[in-house]
Amino acid sequence: MSDTHSPDTQNPEAQSLRAWLLTETPTSRRHAKLSALYHGWLSFRANTMAMIGLGILVALLFVALFAPLLAPHDPFEQNLGSRLLPLWTEGHVFGTDSLGRDILSRLIYGSRITLYIVALVALIAPLVGLLVGTVSGYVGGWVDTVLMRITDIFLAFPRLVLALAFVAALGAGIENAVIAISLTAWPPYARVARAETLTIRSSDYISAIKLQGAGAFRIITKHIWPLCISSLIVRVTLDMAGIILAAAGLGFLGLGAQPPSPEWGAMISEGRRFILDHWWVATVPGLAIFTVSLAFNLLGDGLRDVLDPKAGD
Amino acid sequence: MNMLEIKQLDVWFGHGHNRVDAVKGAEFSVPEGESFGLVGESGSGKSTILRAITGLAPEWSGGITVNGERLGKQRRKSFYKTVQMVFQDPYASLHPRHSVDQVLGETLALHGFRDIDARVVKLLDDVGLGQKFRFRYPHQLSGGQRQRVAIARALAPEPKLLLLDEPTSALDVSVQAEILNLLVDLRKDRGLTYLMVSHDLSVVGHMCDRLAAMRHGEIVEIMDVAALRGMQAQHAYSQELLQASV
């Protein structure tokens, strides 16, 4: 947030920008868009917990972006002479792991992998779910039946077991783990999108656009998607914690990221062997996963308040 | 020439045991330039006739002829340029995430107009909304303003026949009069034909030349507005309606 947006600024120029953004009578398309965004930002900013979540995620993004500058050591550099050093050791704030690698540096580089997983899953799963759900809900009939029974089949499997099967078939590795998680994560989104579509498709504004001769493709993409996307975004941020944990779980089972990759779940898996004598080796990456998961949950709660169309009206 | 001819129209919902006959054997015609009212209590099938004409109620039989063209199950693009509809509830008929500009712009684009910017401005002026409403979202508008936007959208393709589904029943009394006067003026200026559904006889008396009274899906009587004003209904049910509205 920049100073110009602050309400208590005395600067008249900033005041007029604020008035311009808060106007009830926008003068152009861009103005109306910016004004709507600013209103959303104001109501989001009022939610302290959501702002904390956003702050943590911005910090994570910053750390991932500048990992080479921030990390005190090479995350892959082994030093068997200084293995399993405790917390707050000189030069190794979070200690070292069983091969003498600096845990802080590995955490910092691991944030890149976490963000990579999050970004890929967030791109694939909700999009597939949105497509399947809205088409199923809008078209109805046998298309609906077929798509929803496929969704049921995917939903009936425990997520991690299905992901394990996919990874076993595709081969271990972080990309395949992401694909496997995405393939198991889309059915709930499809369900949500279908339920929303069913209520939207019989509404008067859909009838009205049908009377202008609009086809199914236009109605689904331009009229139904914008109304489904907000609830999907909320769900994605709330599910993100589960997705990070699933990725970590696959890493823990040795089917996700492969050594020596500093993926957080794989780090816990390595530290498990020494958990009684050297608890920090597993605990520190565990705390990192916990913090990021919590941040996504807080952000999701805040976004739900802002994006819910019923609340907006 | 008749703008709209309805012959032996049946409309139903559901199949088998669940089948509900909403309209039974409706028959009337509306000459070009006339304003025709459909009155009756709720559930009498008035709105269903409008939905059958527009194709929103897919299961019907009988004959619907619009502007000399007999309608089949599918509606052609040219149909939507001839017939447009204004919905009952302006709070439900505008997309909550689309600005007025988007609503009108998309409608104009769908009908193949090129000079969209100029036409959006003109439409807003025609319905008594100024330029300043152009980039507002529905939640920034009052009920009457929303209904004006909905009327502008219906006028965008320059239709000949406008179907009005209780266009003022969701509005405040003071706003109702404004919208009704707007509709009267628009009809005068553009030579539109109206088919208006209402349960309010005073509204129909103000707006229409002739009207049909409906009960349980059937048209019981067609009369002109002079008969309505003189309380000279023939059928027992329409007499009852007149008595109730005094």
Side-chain angles (χ1 to χ4, degrees), chain B residues 34-84:
Chain B
E34 194 188 57
S35 176
F36 190 89
L38 284 172
V39 296
E41 59 201 67
S42 39
S44 60
K46 348 181 260 299
S47 297
T48 309
I49 292 184
L50 297 195
R51 297 184 81 82
I53 296 171
T54 53
L56 292 173
E59 299 192 272
W60 54 273
S61 68
I64 304 177
T65 310
V66 170
N67 205 15
E69 191 181 339
R70 202 181 157 90
L71 299 179
K73 290 289 163 196
Q74 296 289 321
R75 298 288 179 277
R76 276 192 239 145
K77 198 109 190 167
S78 63
F79 170 80
Y80 299 118
K81 266 179 122 41
T82 317
V83 181
Q84 278 296 317

CSV table of all heavy atoms in Angstrom, one decimal, chain B residues 34-84:
chain,number,residue,atom,x,y,z
B,34,GLU,N,-50.4,-1.4,-31.6
B,34,GLU,CA,-51.4,-1.4,-30.5
B,34,GLU,C,-50.6,-1.8,-29.2
B,34,GLU,O,-49.5,-2.4,-29.2
B,34,GLU,CB,-52.5,-2.5,-30.8
B,34,GLU,CG,-53.6,-2.3,-29.8
B,34,GLU,CD,-54.6,-3.5,-29.9
B,34,GLU,OE1,-54.2,-4.7,-29.8
B,34,GLU,OE2,-55.8,-3.2,-30.2
B,35,SER,N,-51.3,-1.5,-28.1
B,35,SER,CA,-50.8,-1.9,-26.8
B,35,SER,C,-51.8,-2.8,-26.2
B,35,SER,O,-53.0,-2.4,-26.0
B,35,SER,CB,-50.5,-0.7,-25.9
B,35,SER,OG,-50.1,-1.2,-24.6
B,36,PHE,N,-51.4,-4.1,-26.0
B,36,PHE,CA,-52.4,-5.1,-25.6
B,36,PHE,C,-52.0,-5.6,-24.2
B,36,PHE,O,-50.9,-5.9,-23.9
B,36,PHE,CB,-52.3,-6.3,-26.6
B,36,PHE,CG,-53.4,-7.3,-26.4
B,36,PHE,CD1,-54.7,-7.2,-27.0
B,36,PHE,CD2,-53.2,-8.4,-25.5
B,36,PHE,CE1,-55.7,-8.1,-26.8
B,36,PHE,CE2,-54.2,-9.3,-25.4
B,36,PHE,CZ,-55.5,-9.2,-26.0
B,37,GLY,N,-53.0,-5.7,-23.3
B,37,GLY,CA,-52.7,-6.1,-21.9
B,37,GLY,C,-53.2,-7.5,-21.6
B,37,GLY,O,-54.2,-8.0,-22.2
B,38,LEU,N,-52.5,-8.2,-20.8
B,38,LEU,CA,-52.9,-9.5,-20.3
B,38,LEU,C,-53.0,-9.4,-18.8
B,38,LEU,O,-52.1,-9.1,-18.1
B,38,LEU,CB,-51.9,-10.6,-20.6
B,38,LEU,CG,-51.8,-11.2,-22.0
B,38,LEU,CD1,-50.6,-12.1,-22.1
B,38,LEU,CD2,-53.0,-11.9,-22.4
B,39,VAL,N,-54.3,-9.6,-18.3
B,39,VAL,CA,-54.5,-9.4,-16.8
B,39,VAL,C,-55.0,-10.7,-16.2
B,39,VAL,O,-55.5,-11.6,-16.9
B,39,VAL,CB,-55.5,-8.3,-16.5
B,39,VAL,CG1,-54.9,-7.0,-16.9
B,39,VAL,CG2,-56.8,-8.6,-17.1
B,40,GLY,N,-54.8,-10.9,-14.9
B,40,GLY,CA,-55.3,-12.1,-14.2
B,40,GLY,C,-54.5,-12.2,-13.0
B,40,GLY,O,-53.5,-11.5,-12.8
B,41,GLU,N,-55.0,-13.1,-12.1
B,41,GLU,CA,-54.3,-13.3,-10.8
B,41,GLU,C,-53.0,-14.1,-11.1
B,41,GLU,O,-52.7,-14.6,-12.2
B,41,GLU,CB,-55.2,-14.1,-9.9
B,41,GLU,CG,-55.6,-15.4,-10.4
B,41,GLU,CD,-56.8,-15.9,-9.7
B,41,GLU,OE1,-57.9,-15.4,-9.9
B,41,GLU,OE2,-56.7,-17.0,-9.0
B,42,SER,N,-52.1,-14.1,-10.0
B,42,SER,CA,-50.8,-14.8,-10.2
B,42,SER,C,-51.1,-16.3,-10.5
B,42,SER,O,-52.0,-16.9,-9.9
B,42,SER,CB,-49.9,-14.6,-9.0
B,42,SER,OG,-50.6,-14.6,-7.8
B,43,GLY,N,-50.3,-16.9,-11.4
B,43,GLY,CA,-50.5,-18.3,-11.7
B,43,GLY,C,-51.5,-18.5,-12.8
B,43,GLY,O,-51.8,-19.7,-13.1
B,44,SER,N,-52.0,-17.4,-13.4
B,44,SER,CA,-53.0,-17.6,-14.4
B,44,SER,C,-52.4,-17.8,-15.8
B,44,SER,O,-53.1,-18.1,-16.8
B,44,SER,CB,-54.0,-16.4,-14.4
B,44,SER,OG,-53.3,-15.2,-14.7
B,45,GLY,N,-51.1,-17.8,-15.9
B,45,GLY,CA,-50.4,-18.1,-17.2
B,45,GLY,C,-50.1,-16.9,-18.0
B,45,GLY,O,-49.7,-17.1,-19.2
B,46,LYS,N,-50.2,-15.7,-17.5
B,46,LYS,CA,-50.0,-14.5,-18.4
B,46,LYS,C,-48.5,-14.5,-18.7
B,46,LYS,O,-48.2,-14.3,-19.9
B,46,LYS,CB,-50.3,-13.2,-17.6
B,46,LYS,CG,-51.2,-13.3,-16.4
B,46,LYS,CD,-51.5,-12.0,-15.8
B,46,LYS,CE,-50.6,-11.6,-14.6
B,46,LYS,NZ,-50.6,-12.4,-13.5
B,47,SER,N,-47.6,-14.6,-17.7
B,47,SER,CA,-46.2,-14.5,-18.0
B,47,SER,C,-45.7,-15.7,-18.9
B,47,SER,O,-44.8,-15.5,-19.7
B,47,SER,CB,-45.4,-14.5,-16.7
B,47,SER,OG,-45.7,-13.3,-16.0
B,48,THR,N,-46.4,-16.8,-18.7
B,48,THR,CA,-46.0,-18.0,-19.5
B,48,THR,C,-46.2,-17.8,-21.0
B,48,THR,O,-45.4,-18.3,-21.8
B,48,THR,CB,-46.8,-19.2,-19.0
B,48,THR,OG1,-46.7,-19.3,-17.6
B,48,THR,CG2,-46.3,-20.5,-19.6
B,49,ILE,N,-47.2,-17.0,-21.3
B,49,ILE,CA,-47.4,-16.7,-22.8
B,49,ILE,C,-46.2,-16.0,-23.3
B,49,ILE,O,-45.7,-16.3,-24.4
B,49,ILE,CB,-48.7,-15.9,-22.9
B,49,ILE,CG1,-49.9,-16.8,-22.6
B,49,ILE,CG2,-48.8,-15.4,-24.4
B,49,ILE,CD1,-51.3,-16.2,-22.9
B,50,LEU,N,-45.7,-15.0,-22.5
B,50,LEU,CA,-44.6,-14.2,-23.0
B,50,LEU,C,-43.4,-15.1,-23.1
B,50,LEU,O,-42.6,-15.0,-24.1
B,50,LEU,CB,-44.2,-13.1,-22.0
B,50,LEU,CG,-45.2,-12.0,-21.7
B,50,LEU,CD1,-44.6,-10.8,-21.0
B,50,LEU,CD2,-45.8,-11.5,-23.0
B,51,ARG,N,-43.2,-16.0,-22.2
B,51,ARG,CA,-42.0,-16.9,-22.2
B,51,ARG,C,-42.1,-17.9,-23.4
B,51,ARG,O,-41.1,-18.2,-24.0
B,51,ARG,CB,-41.8,-17.6,-20.9
B,51,ARG,CG,-41.6,-16.7,-19.7
B,51,ARG,CD,-41.3,-17.5,-18.4
B,51,ARG,NE,-40.0,-18.0,-18.3
B,51,ARG,CZ,-38.9,-17.2,-17.9
B,51,ARG,NH1,-39.1,-16.0,-17.6
B,51,ARG,NH2,-37.7,-17.7,-17.8
B,52,ALA,N,-43.3,-18.3,-23.7
B,52,ALA,CA,-43.5,-19.1,-24.9
B,52,ALA,C,-43.1,-18.4,-26.2
B,52,ALA,O,-42.5,-18.9,-27.1
B,52,ALA,CB,-44.9,-19.7,-25.0
B,53,ILE,N,-43.5,-17.1,-26.3
B,53,ILE,CA,-43.3,-16.3,-27.5
B,53,ILE,C,-41.7,-16.2,-27.6
B,53,ILE,O,-41.2,-16.3,-28.7
B,53,ILE,CB,-43.9,-14.9,-27.4
B,53,ILE,CG1,-45.4,-15.1,-27.4
B,53,ILE,CG2,-43.5,-14.0,-28.5
B,53,ILE,CD1,-46.2,-13.8,-27.1
B,54,THR,N,-41.0,-15.9,-26.5
B,54,THR,CA,-39.6,-15.7,-26.6
B,54,THR,C,-38.8,-16.9,-26.7
B,54,THR,O,-37.6,-16.9,-27.0
B,54,THR,CB,-39.1,-14.9,-25.4
B,54,THR,OG1,-39.5,-15.6,-24.2
B,54,THR,CG2,-39.6,-13.5,-25.3
B,55,GLY,N,-39.4,-18.1,-26.5
B,55,GLY,CA,-38.7,-19.3,-26.6
B,55,GLY,C,-38.1,-19.8,-25.3
B,55,GLY,O,-37.4,-20.8,-25.2
B,56,LEU,N,-38.4,-19.0,-24.2
B,56,LEU,CA,-37.8,-19.4,-22.9
B,56,LEU,C,-38.6,-20.6,-22.2
B,56,LEU,O,-38.1,-21.3,-21.4
B,56,LEU,CB,-37.8,-18.2,-21.9
B,56,LEU,CG,-36.9,-17.1,-22.3
B,56,LEU,CD1,-37.1,-15.9,-21.4
B,56,LEU,CD2,-35.4,-17.5,-22.2
B,57,ALA,N,-39.9,-20.7,-22.7
B,57,ALA,CA,-40.7,-21.9,-22.2
B,57,ALA,C,-40.7,-22.8,-23.5
B,57,ALA,O,-41.5,-22.6,-24.4
B,57,ALA,CB,-42.1,-21.5,-21.8
B,58,PRO,N,-39.9,-23.9,-23.5
B,58,PRO,CA,-39.7,-24.6,-24.7
B,58,PRO,C,-40.9,-25.5,-25.1
B,58,PRO,O,-41.0,-25.9,-26.3
B,58,PRO,CB,-38.5,-25.5,-24.4
B,58,PRO,CG,-38.4,-25.6,-22.9
B,58,PRO,CD,-39.1,-24.4,-22.4
B,59,GLU,N,-41.8,-25.9,-24.2
B,59,GLU,CA,-42.8,-26.9,-24.5
B,59,GLU,C,-44.1,-26.2,-24.8
B,59,GLU,O,-44.8,-25.9,-23.8
B,59,GLU,CB,-42.8,-27.9,-23.5
B,59,GLU,CG,-41.5,-28.6,-23.4
B,59,GLU,CD,-41.5,-29.9,-22.5
B,59,GLU,OE1,-41.4,-29.8,-21.3
B,59,GLU,OE2,-41.8,-30.9,-23.1
B,60,TRP,N,-44.4,-26.0,-26.0
B,60,TRP,CA,-45.7,-25.4,-26.4
B,60,TRP,C,-46.2,-26.0,-27.7
B,60,TRP,O,-45.4,-26.5,-28.5
B,60,TRP,CB,-45.6,-23.9,-26.4
B,60,TRP,CG,-44.6,-23.4,-27.4
B,60,TRP,CD1,-43.3,-23.1,-27.1
B,60,TRP,CD2,-44.7,-23.0,-28.7
B,60,TRP,NE1,-42.6,-22.7,-28.2
B,60,TRP,CE2,-43.5,-22.6,-29.2
B,60,TRP,CE3,-45.8,-23.0,-29.6
B,60,TRP,CZ2,-43.3,-22.2,-30.5
B,60,TRP,CZ3,-45.6,-22.6,-31.0
B,60,TRP,CH2,-44.3,-22.2,-31.4
B,61,SER,N,-47.5,-25.9,-27.9
B,61,SER,CA,-48.0,-26.2,-29.3
B,61,SER,C,-49.1,-25.2,-29.6
B,61,SER,O,-49.5,-24.4,-28.8
B,61,SER,CB,-48.7,-27.6,-29.2
B,61,SER,OG,-49.8,-27.6,-28.4
B,62,GLY,N,-49.4,-25.2,-30.9
B,62,GLY,CA,-50.3,-24.1,-31.4
B,62,GLY,C,-49.5,-23.2,-32.3
B,62,GLY,O,-48.4,-23.6,-32.8
B,63,GLY,N,-50.1,-22.1,-32.6
B,63,GLY,CA,-49.4,-21.2,-33.6
B,63,GLY,C,-49.1,-19.8,-33.0
B,63,GLY,O,-49.9,-19.2,-32.3
B,64,ILE,N,-47.8,-19.4,-33.2
B,64,ILE,CA,-47.4,-18.1,-32.8
B,64,ILE,C,-46.8,-17.4,-34.1
B,64,ILE,O,-45.9,-18.0,-34.6
B,64,ILE,CB,-46.3,-18.1,-31.7
B,64,ILE,CG1,-46.8,-18.9,-30.5
B,64,ILE,CG2,-45.9,-16.7,-31.3
B,64,ILE,CD1,-45.7,-19.0,-29.4
B,65,THR,N,-47.4,-16.3,-34.5
B,65,THR,CA,-46.9,-15.6,-35.7
B,65,THR,C,-46.5,-14.2,-35.3
B,65,THR,O,-47.3,-13.5,-34.7
B,65,THR,CB,-48.0,-15.6,-36.7
B,65,THR,OG1,-48.5,-16.9,-36.9
B,65,THR,CG2,-47.5,-15.1,-38.0
B,66,VAL,N,-45.2,-13.9,-35.5
B,66,VAL,CA,-44.7,-12.6,-35.2
B,66,VAL,C,-44.3,-11.9,-36.5
B,66,VAL,O,-43.6,-12.4,-37.3
B,66,VAL,CB,-43.5,-12.7,-34.3
B,66,VAL,CG1,-42.8,-11.3,-34.1
B,66,VAL,CG2,-43.9,-13.2,-32.9
B,67,ASN,N,-44.9,-10.7,-36.7
B,67,ASN,CA,-44.6,-9.9,-37.9
B,67,ASN,C,-44.7,-10.7,-39.2
B,67,ASN,O,-43.9,-10.6,-40.1
B,67,ASN,CB,-43.2,-9.4,-37.7
B,67,ASN,CG,-43.0,-8.1,-38.5
B,67,ASN,OD1,-43.9,-7.5,-39.0
B,67,ASN,ND2,-41.7,-7.7,-38.7
B,68,GLY,N,-45.8,-11.6,-39.2
B,68,GLY,CA,-46.0,-12.3,-40.4
B,68,GLY,C,-45.2,-13.6,-40.5
B,68,GLY,O,-45.4,-14.4,-41.5
B,69,GLU,N,-44.3,-13.9,-39.6
B,69,GLU,CA,-43.5,-15.1,-39.7
B,69,GLU,C,-43.9,-16.1,-38.6
B,69,GLU,O,-43.9,-15.7,-37.4
B,69,GLU,CB,-42.0,-14.7,-39.5
B,69,GLU,CG,-41.1,-15.8,-39.8
B,69,GLU,CD,-39.6,-15.4,-39.6
B,69,GLU,OE1,-39.4,-14.2,-39.6
B,69,GLU,OE2,-38.8,-16.3,-39.4
B,70,ARG,N,-44.3,-17.3,-39.0
B,70,ARG,CA,-44.7,-18.3,-38.0
B,70,ARG,C,-43.5,-18.9,-37.3
B,70,ARG,O,-42.5,-19.3,-38.0
B,70,ARG,CB,-45.5,-19.4,-38.8
B,70,ARG,CG,-46.4,-20.2,-37.9
B,70,ARG,CD,-47.1,-21.3,-38.7
B,70,ARG,NE,-47.6,-22.3,-37.8
B,70,ARG,CZ,-48.7,-22.3,-37.2
B,70,ARG,NH1,-49.6,-21.4,-37.4
B,70,ARG,NH2,-49.1,-23.3,-36.4
B,71,LEU,N,-43.5,-19.0,-36.0
B,71,LEU,CA,-42.4,-19.4,-35.2
B,71,LEU,C,-42.3,-20.9,-35.1
B,71,LEU,O,-43.4,-21.5,-34.9
B,71,LEU,CB,-42.4,-18.8,-33.8
B,71,LEU,CG,-42.3,-17.3,-33.8
B,71,LEU,CD1,-42.4,-16.8,-32.3
B,71,LEU,CD2,-41.1,-16.7,-34.5
B,72,GLY,N,-41.1,-21.5,-35.2
B,72,GLY,CA,-40.9,-22.9,-34.9
B,72,GLY,C,-40.4,-23.0,-33.5
B,72,GLY,O,-40.5,-22.1,-32.7
B,73,LYS,N,-39.7,-24.2,-33.3
B,73,LYS,CA,-39.1,-24.4,-32.0
B,73,LYS,C,-37.9,-23.5,-31.7
B,73,LYS,O,-37.6,-23.1,-30.6
B,73,LYS,CB,-38.7,-25.9,-31.8
B,73,LYS,CG,-40.0,-26.8,-31.7
B,73,LYS,CD,-40.7,-26.6,-30.4
B,73,LYS,CE,-42.1,-27.2,-30.5
B,73,LYS,NZ,-43.0,-26.8,-29.5
B,74,GLN,N,-37.1,-23.3,-32.8
B,74,GLN,CA,-35.9,-22.5,-32.7
B,74,GLN,C,-36.2,-21.1,-33.0
B,74,GLN,O,-37.0,-20.8,-33.9
B,74,GLN,CB,-34.8,-23.1,-33.6
B,74,GLN,CG,-34.3,-24.4,-33.2
B,74,GLN,CD,-33.5,-24.5,-32.0
B,74,GLN,OE1,-32.7,-23.6,-31.7
B,74,GLN,NE2,-33.7,-25.5,-31.1
B,75,ARG,N,-35.6,-20.1,-32.3
B,75,ARG,CA,-35.7,-18.7,-32.7
B,75,ARG,C,-34.5,-18.3,-33.5
B,75,ARG,O,-33.4,-18.6,-33.2
B,75,ARG,CB,-35.8,-17.9,-31.4
B,75,ARG,CG,-37.0,-18.2,-30.5
B,75,ARG,CD,-38.2,-17.7,-31.1
B,75,ARG,NE,-39.4,-18.0,-30.3
B,75,ARG,CZ,-40.0,-19.2,-30.3
B,75,ARG,NH1,-39.6,-20.1,-31.1
B,75,ARG,NH2,-41.0,-19.4,-29.5
B,76,ARG,N,-34.8,-17.6,-34.6
B,76,ARG,CA,-33.7,-17.1,-35.4
B,76,ARG,C,-33.2,-15.7,-34.9
B,76,ARG,O,-33.8,-15.1,-34.1
B,76,ARG,CB,-34.2,-16.9,-36.9
B,76,ARG,CG,-34.1,-18.2,-37.6
B,76,ARG,CD,-34.3,-18.0,-39.1
B,76,ARG,NE,-35.5,-18.7,-39.6
B,76,ARG,CZ,-36.3,-18.3,-40.5
B,76,ARG,NH1,-36.1,-17.1,-41.1
B,76,ARG,NH2,-37.3,-19.0,-40.9
B,77,LYS,N,-32.0,-15.4,-35.4
B,77,LYS,CA,-31.4,-14.1,-35.0
B,77,LYS,C,-32.3,-12.9,-35.3
B,77,LYS,O,-32.4,-12.0,-34.5
B,77,LYS,CB,-30.1,-14.0,-35.7
B,77,LYS,CG,-29.1,-13.0,-35.1
B,77,LYS,CD,-28.0,-13.6,-34.4
B,77,LYS,CE,-27.2,-12.6,-33.6
B,77,LYS,NZ,-26.2,-13.2,-32.7
B,78,SER,N,-33.0,-13.0,-36.5
B,78,SER,CA,-33.9,-11.9,-36.8
B,78,SER,C,-35.1,-11.8,-35.9
B,78,SER,O,-35.6,-10.7,-35.7
B,78,SER,CB,-34.4,-12.1,-38.3
B,78,SER,OG,-35.2,-13.3,-38.3
B,79,PHE,N,-35.4,-12.9,-35.2
B,79,PHE,CA,-36.5,-12.8,-34.3
B,79,PHE,C,-36.2,-11.9,-33.1
B,79,PHE,O,-37.0,-11.1,-32.7
B,79,PHE,CB,-36.8,-14.2,-33.7
B,79,PHE,CG,-37.8,-14.2,-32.6
B,79,PHE,CD1,-39.1,-14.2,-32.7
B,79,PHE,CD2,-37.3,-14.4,-31.3
B,79,PHE,CE1,-40.0,-14.2,-31.7
B,79,PHE,CE2,-38.2,-14.4,-30.2
B,79,PHE,CZ,-39.5,-14.3,-30.4
B,80,TYR,N,-34.9,-12.0,-32.6
B,80,TYR,CA,-34.5,-11.2,-31.5
B,80,TYR,C,-34.4,-9.7,-31.8
B,80,TYR,O,-34.3,-8.8,-31.0
B,80,TYR,CB,-33.2,-11.7,-30.9
B,80,TYR,CG,-33.3,-13.1,-30.4
B,80,TYR,CD1,-32.5,-14.1,-30.9
B,80,TYR,CD2,-34.2,-13.4,-29.4
B,80,TYR,CE1,-32.6,-15.4,-30.5
B,80,TYR,CE2,-34.3,-14.7,-28.9
B,80,TYR,CZ,-33.5,-15.7,-29.5
B,80,TYR,OH,-33.6,-17.0,-29.0
B,81,LYS,N,-34.3,-9.4,-33.1
B,81,LYS,CA,-34.2,-8.0,-33.6
B,81,LYS,C,-35.7,-7.5,-33.7
B,81,LYS,O,-35.8,-6.2,-33.7
B,81,LYS,CB,-33.5,-7.9,-34.9
B,81,LYS,CG,-32.1,-7.6,-34.8
B,81,LYS,CD,-31.4,-7.5,-36.2
B,81,LYS,CE,-30.8,-6.2,-36.5
B,81,LYS,NZ,-30.0,-5.5,-35.5
B,82,THR,N,-36.7,-8.3,-33.7
B,82,THR,CA,-38.0,-7.9,-33.8
B,82,THR,C,-38.7,-7.8,-32.5
B,82,THR,O,-39.5,-6.9,-32.2
B,82,THR,CB,-38.8,-8.9,-34.7
B,82,THR,OG1,-38.0,-9.2,-35.9
B,82,THR,CG2,-40.1,-8.2,-35.2
B,83,VAL,N,-38.4,-8.8,-31.6
B,83,VAL,CA,-39.1,-9.0,-30.3
B,83,VAL,C,-38.1,-8.8,-29.2
B,83,VAL,O,-37.0,-9.5,-29.2
B,83,VAL,CB,-39.8,-10.4,-30.2
B,83,VAL,CG1,-40.5,-10.5,-28.9
B,83,VAL,CG2,-40.7,-10.6,-31.4
B,84,GLN,N,-38.4,-8.0,-28.2
B,84,GLN,CA,-37.6,-7.9,-27.0
B,84,GLN,C,-38.5,-7.9,-25.8
B,84,GLN,O,-39.7,-7.7,-25.9
B,84,GLN,CB,-36.7,-6.7,-27.1
B,84,GLN,CG,-35.5,-6.8,-27.9
B,84,GLN,CD,-34.5,-7.9,-27.3
B,84,GLN,OE1,-34.3,-7.9,-26.1
B,84,GLN,NE2,-34.0,-8.7,-28.2
